[in-house]
Amino acid sequence: MEISDSVSTILSHKGLVPVHSVAPDTMVFDAIKLMADRNIGCVLVMDGEHLLGILSERDYTRKVILQGRSSKSTTVREIMTTEVICVTPQHGVEDTLRIVTESRVRHLPVKDGGRIVGLISIGDLVKWVINAQRSALSQLEAYVAGGYPG
């Protein structure tokens, strides 16, 4: 089964969901608190409109907890992932799933013309695929039952 939808379709269905970000000099504790308060798994690290990196729960566990650092005295800049993989609104859902799987990341910023316009998670993609499969199955069931229009 091929899913021909694009990232822009998912973003439009998600609605106006804010993309949370922090400055690079933010203390890790404050960034993690923001993530906990908003129930999100990552924040973008921005300098104005410029994407510098991404901070995920994985960064926190591997670069703070496991290294014996203090989240109250470590800045986001010290532990953020700087090689951020991004997609565009035109990326297809299947291609985006391939990117998250092969890159072993859970979140992809969506850039349009150098500007961040959204954030896609692996959860968003899986949910979209499941819904597309349900829709296709419903259409097939209706066809088999003789209720398919056309």
Side-chain angles (χ1 to χ4, degrees):
M1 178 177 165
E2 183 178 321
I3 307 292
S4 60
D5 295 318
S6 67
V7 167
S8 65
T9 306
I10 295 175
L11 289 177
S12 67
H13 276 83
K14 282 177 69 171
L16 291 174
V17 177
V19 176
H20 298 283
S21 65
V22 296
D25 294 326
T26 302
M27 290 298 152
V28 170
F29 180 87
D30 297 322
I32 295 298
K33 181 158 179 12
L34 171 66
M35 290 164 57
D37 290 346
R38 302 287 187 221
N39 195 28
I40 55 178
C42 76
V43 290
L44 300 184
V45 183
M46 307 283 293
D47 180 13
E49 296 290 316
H50 183 67
L51 178 65
L52 300 177
I54 192 168
L55 178 71
S56 68
E57 294 165 330
R58 182 182 289 175
D59 291 317
Y60 176 68
T61 57
R62 293 181 181 184
K63 300 173 187 173
V64 175
I65 298 298
L66 289 178
Q67 293 183 10
R69 292 176 155 177
S70 166
S71 61
K72 290 189 176 183
S73 63
T74 303
T75 63
V76 168
R77 178 189 313 276
E78 296 174 68
I79 68 162
M80 69 184 181
T81 297
T82 56
E83 293 183 26
V84 182
I85 300 166
C86 297
V87 293
T88 67
Q90 293 76 34
H91 269 85
V93 170
E94 285 191 24
D95 189 36
T96 305
L97 270 169
R98 183 189 55 73
I99 292 168
V100 297
T101 302
E102 290 176 0
S103 304
R104 300 180 57 95
V105 297
R106 294 178 169 268
H107 302 90
L108 295 172
V110 182
K111 275 184 151 184
D112 191 13
R115 199 175 60 99
I116 300 294
V117 295
L119 186 71
I120 291 289
S121 72
I122 192 166
D124 296 329
L125 294 164
V126 168
K127 186 168 131 182
W128 193 263
V129 169
I130 288 170
N131 287 336
Q133 289 174 341
R134 280 188 184 141
S135 176
L137 184 58
S138 292
Q139 290 174 6
L140 286 172
E141 287 172 343
Y143 177 75
V144 169
Y148 190 78

